[in-house]
Amino acid sequence: MNGNPLYHWIGLAVSTALMLPVPVAMLAGWTPPWMRKRQAGMRLRAYGFLSIYALTLINSIARIADASYETVMVCMYVGFGFIAPAAVLFLLAERKDSRAQAAGPVEPMRSQH
């Protein structure tokens, strides 16, 4: 059922290289250029991406370890359980962005001296 572990290692390496750096950088404060106007929900969006990465990670590790059919299926179901939180996080990020855009730009505070 698990197939060749080399393919799962390759898939895990590619998904790690493509899916992990951007959300980690977003959590560190970096904003991608195409999202400069949508910064209100940036942290929620980053956690959503990490939730999708968790799906990939859980499924891959069970298959790389050549676990039993039952273990692979449990890991697959647990991994798919991360889709719901990701969807909720993306929806909350969009809602937060739309509210921030509706409120307009925030004026910087001026000193009262």
Side-chain angles (χ1 to χ4, degrees):
M1 166 170 183
N2 296 334
N4 189 344
L6 178 63
Y7 296 131
H8 297 294
W9 275 112
I10 292 169
L12 183 60
V14 168
S15 65
T16 299
L18 294 176
M19 295 175 70
L20 198 56
V22 172
V24 169
M26 288 164 65
L27 289 173
W30 176 75
T31 303
W34 63 89
M35 298 184 102
R36 299 257 191 247
K37 294 182 180 181
R38 301 172 60 178
Q39 291 189 11
M42 194 62 62
R43 293 186 73 76
L44 293 171
R45 205 170 276 110
Y47 287 125
F49 284 123
L50 289 176
S51 184
I52 291 174
Y53 177 71
L55 160 76
T56 306
L57 187 65
I58 290 172
N59 281 324
S60 297
I61 288 177
R63 294 172 195 274
I64 289 170
D66 199 26
S68 67
Y69 174 79
E70 292 81 15
T71 304
V72 169
M73 294 304 291
V74 167
C75 288
M76 186 177 74
Y77 293 139
V78 168
F80 282 133
F82 282 99
I83 291 175
V88 169
L89 287 166
F90 289 138
L91 290 172
L92 289 173
E94 187 61 34
R95 184 176 181 189
K96 193 171 185 180
D97 285 339
S98 65
R99 284 186 177 177
Q101 285 179 351
V106 177
E107 300 247 349
M109 293 186 64
R110 297 182 184 150
S111 64
Q112 298 294 325
H113 298 344

